[in-house]
Amino acid sequence: MSNPKDKSEHMKHKTDEARRLFNLPDTESVIQDYSCSLDKLTPGRLYISQNYLCFASTLSHSLESIPFRKVTDITPDSTLFFQNAIAVTFQGGFHSFGGLVHRDETLNLMLHLWKHPPSYVDLEDVVEVPSNAAEREKAAAAGSSSSPKSQDTKDQPARSSTGSSSSSSSSSSLGGSTYGSSRGSSGSYGSTDGVQEQTSTVKVDTTSTRNALRLAYEAREIGTATMSELSYQAEVIDLIERDVERVHANLDKSDRLLRGIESVGGGLKNALSSEKKGKDMQYIDRTLVVTKEDVPVDVDILWKQPNDMLVPALMRLYKDKFVCVNAASKQPEKDMTFPFDQIESVVLRARHQHIDIRFLGKAPRFRLMSSYVQPIVNELALRIKDLKVVFEPGTRQFPYGSNNIQLPTSGGAAATRKAGFFRSSAATTTISPVITGLNVDSETKTALIQQEKDLDEISSVLGDIYAIGTTMGVEIDRSSEQLDRITNRVDSANVRLAKTNQRIDRML
């Protein structure tokens, strides 16, 4: 089924069938469906959408629907007669889906959607903060006068959604972008119920952020001064090493002279051999230069292999390329490094949450499935000039190419640290719609906006401090190795000098 229109019609038929059978919201779309049996007895079909696991029996009218938000565990399951099964534990029950021909693929897809709810961002809900103070005041005043409109959450749901209307959206701000999830508790950015009574007495503490910013600036200055001291120390260590090498060169000359004095054979050996040259120590500029490393960002995906198998992987994004990384070993897959300048287009497939990345020439395409299709396309569009993005028929369309859409990174302490220190540098600062929706005076809103700008600046300065610390760490390691080398050479010179003195004593 290579024709996109045929594929789109096929997926639409599957989706319409699932919505009709299980009364799913119009925002739910079938991603995959598999033939299987429920609890080892009931044959039927399993439908997997963004937020639901649904089973329809082929022998009866039995229907089962499990929201991912209620799932507590998903594990492989097997018995003597059913080897290819998956056990799903959820609030108030348990089901086993057996007889799956592609058990591992189905398990990988379930786990990915369970751990990573699909989410989209509508840029209309992202508020840009003007850089000019007067403009900030004007924008804050305008936001205050329009805030009552945002209080009616029935007519204005949060624009950021996972495609499920089964519950209210629980949203979090990611660098100015609003990611909603229908699997959490109720509440959305559009709602300000019960806020007015509280905000009338809110005092924005800009002093703390200002003090934190001042301390960050001071720490950066201290780091810069420390780097200058390290540069000077490195030059002094180089001079010490040169002097130690001169001592060895002088000991070589002394050894040659004493050998000629001690015996005729020694003199002949000197005549037939050339004089040893000392180690040439070139001058090295030890000025430390801070360069922010190309910190990659890891995104959880399912890599679609040539045999159509979906396997867990990470899409590791650099400034000029992306790499497919094994999710378990965290090592790059063989021949899976793709420079951005070789990408011809990005295709959003009719099978929902699937992406094809196609390359110039006859290079094979890279296929993936992910809950983060919008952030991935957005990052590629920001890194590749005039990127061609194609939405196949029936595919959900979304905005991209904006710094306001942040990429959810894969977990881990290192990723969290780097993501915090190296945030995307947007052209403008963004604030949460919660701020603009508050019914407060313009002075308070301006203070909130200033607080957001200060926090962004603190993040940027912390990035500088992190880069300075990394640079100093590399230099300290290099200096330590050099000092160890000098120590060994000094010990060797002491031994040689003692032997030379003994030889002179014997001649006297």
Side-chain angles (χ1 to χ4, degrees):
M1 197 178 296
S2 58
N3 190 319
K5 290 186 178 179
D6 294 342
K7 186 72 170 180
S8 175
E9 287 298 321
H10 176 73
M11 296 307 301
K12 184 178 183 302
H13 172 73
K14 293 288 185 183
T15 296
D16 290 344
E17 185 178 39
R19 289 175 182 172
R20 176 179 56 81
L21 289 172
F22 304 100
N23 195 27
L24 297 179
D26 292 342
T27 49
E28 286 296 306
S29 302
V30 172
I31 298 173
Q32 283 283 14
D33 62 301
Y34 303 95
S35 176
C36 67
S37 61
L38 180 66
D39 296 330
K40 306 170 187 175
L41 295 174
T42 309
R45 198 150 196 88
L46 173 67
Y47 299 87
I48 302 178
S49 70
Q50 287 92 341
N51 296 283
Y52 291 89
L53 291 173
C54 301
F55 178 84
S57 171
T58 55
L59 298 181
S60 65
H61 297 291
S62 175
L63 300 174
E64 290 288 343
S65 177
I66 308 171
F68 274 116
R69 61 187 171 84
K70 291 187 177 181
V71 172
T72 58
D73 198 15
I74 300 176
T75 58
D77 188 23
S78 62
T79 63
L80 180 61
F81 300 104
F82 290 87
Q83 297 297 318
N84 298 323
I86 297 174
V88 178
T89 306
F90 53 94
Q91 296 172 12
F94 168 90
H95 280 311
S96 177
F97 299 95
L100 290 159
V101 177
H102 305 287
R103 196 275 300 272
D104 290 343
E105 175 187 310
T106 310
L107 178 64
N108 292 336
L109 181 59
M110 285 182 178
L111 288 171
H112 181 86
L113 292 169
W114 177 44
K115 295 177 180 178
H116 311 284
S119 184
Y120 295 86
V121 174
D122 190 334
L123 292 180
E124 291 181 11
D125 273 349
V126 178
V127 182
E128 293 189 352
V129 180
S131 57
N132 183 285
E135 291 178 354
R136 289 203 305 271
E137 178 77 18
K138 183 178 178 181
S144 177
S145 63
S146 63
S147 61
K149 296 181 182 180
S150 66
Q151 294 182 23
D152 187 1
T153 58
K154 293 181 181 179
D155 297 329
Q156 292 188 350
R159 294 297 184 94
S160 169
S161 67
T162 60
S164 173
S165 61
S166 60
S167 64
S168 301
S169 296
S170 173
S171 303
S172 60
S173 177
L174 297 175
S177 300
T178 310
Y179 280 83
S181 173
S182 64
R183 303 182 191 172
S185 58
S186 62
S188 68
Y189 280 137
S191 174
T192 56
D193 294 343
V195 172
Q196 287 185 342
E197 292 78 13
Q198 299 175 20
T199 54
S200 60
T201 57
V202 165
K203 296 183 71 175
V204 182
D205 185 11
T206 56
T207 304
S208 296
T209 52
R210 279 294 180 186
N211 288 338
L213 184 58
R214 176 179 55 80
L215 292 173
Y217 282 143
E218 290 177 358
R220 186 171 63 180
E221 290 175 5
I222 292 171
T224 303
T226 305
M227 282 178 53
S228 298
E229 288 297 321
L230 281 175
S231 297
Y232 174 72
Q233 174 183 289
E235 292 176 357
V236 172
I237 294 174
D238 283 346
L239 290 174
I240 294 172
E241 189 170 24
R242 269 191 215 101
D243 289 342
V244 171
E245 293 305 322
R246 287 196 193 99
V247 170
H248 275 280
N250 290 333
L251 287 171
D252 290 338
K253 291 180 181 178
S254 300
D255 182 64
R256 183 181 179 86
L257 290 172
L258 289 174
R259 189 168 59 231
I261 295 172
E262 286 173 335
S263 65
V264 176
L268 290 173
K269 185 176 180 180
N270 288 344
L272 296 174
S273 62
S274 59
E275 187 174 342
K276 238 186 199 182
K277 289 186 178 179
K279 186 177 179 181
D280 187 17
M281 294 288 296
Q282 298 290 335
Y283 172 77
I284 301 174
D285 185 4
R286 295 298 186 186
T287 303
L288 298 182
V289 179
V290 178
T291 55
K292 286 190 178 180
E293 59 182 308
D294 183 4
V295 181
V297 179
D298 288 347
V299 188
D300 291 280
I301 65 170
L302 294 179
W303 170 33
K304 196 165 190 175
Q305 297 182 327
N307 62 357
D308 289 342
M309 176 70 176
L310 292 172
V311 298
L314 297 173
M315 188 178 187
R316 182 164 291 169
L317 291 159
Y318 293 87
K319 290 181 180 178
D320 58 350
K321 63 186 176 185
F322 78 87
V323 181
C324 181
V325 176
N326 185 285
S329 67
K330 300 298 187 290
Q331 296 300 312
E333 297 283 359
K334 185 179 180 182
D335 299 327
M336 286 287 118
T337 298
F338 306 98
F340 288 145
D341 59 10
Q342 294 300 308
I343 294 179
E344 187 269 334
S345 64
V346 174
V347 180
L348 281 299
R349 301 306 307 273
R351 186 176 292 279
H352 302 282
Q353 309 300 139
H354 282 66
I355 299 177
D356 278 9
I357 299 177
R358 299 176 181 177
F359 304 94
L360 301 172
K362 296 183 179 180
R365 59 185 174 167
F366 180 80
R367 300 184 296 169
L368 67 94
M369 178 273 163
S370 179
S371 294
Y372 306 123
V373 291
Q374 184 189 22
I376 289 173
V377 172
N378 183 72
E379 288 297 318
L380 293 175
L382 289 174
R383 288 166 163 78
I384 304 169
K385 186 178 180 182
D386 300 325
L387 175 66
K388 182 181 178 182
V389 179
V390 179
F391 293 84
E392 289 188 348
T395 305
R396 175 171 181 168
Q397 299 197 19
F398 48 76
Y400 57 88
S402 170
N403 278 304
N404 292 324
I405 302 173
Q406 296 295 306
L407 191 66
T409 56
S410 183
T416 303
R417 183 181 68 251
K418 290 180 179 179
F421 287 150
F422 296 92
R423 298 172 63 181
S424 284
S425 55
T428 57
T429 306
T430 58
I431 59 173
S432 164
V434 169
I435 294 177
T436 56
L438 293 176
N439 188 20
V440 295
D441 56 68
S442 61
E443 182 180 352
T444 301
K445 281 192 178 177
T446 302
L448 285 168
I449 291 171
Q450 184 59 50
Q451 189 178 63
E452 288 279 319
K453 290 177 69 70
D454 289 343
L455 290 172
D456 282 343
E457 180 64 12
I458 289 170
S459 177
S460 176
V461 175
L462 286 176
D464 294 339
I465 294 171
Y466 178 84
I468 290 171
T470 301
T471 303
M472 289 195 298
V474 172
E475 173 59 24
I476 290 171
D477 290 342
R478 188 206 62 79
S479 297
S480 297
E481 292 177 2
Q482 187 179 15
L483 287 171
D484 289 341
R485 187 171 63 246
I486 291 172
T487 300
N488 292 334
R489 294 290 282 171
V490 169
D491 291 341
S492 175
N494 287 332
V495 173
R496 293 184 64 188
L497 184 60
K499 290 182 179 179
T500 300
N501 289 335
Q502 290 176 2
R503 292 167 66 186
I504 293 173
D505 290 339
R506 282 198 301 269
M507 286 189 295
L508 297 176

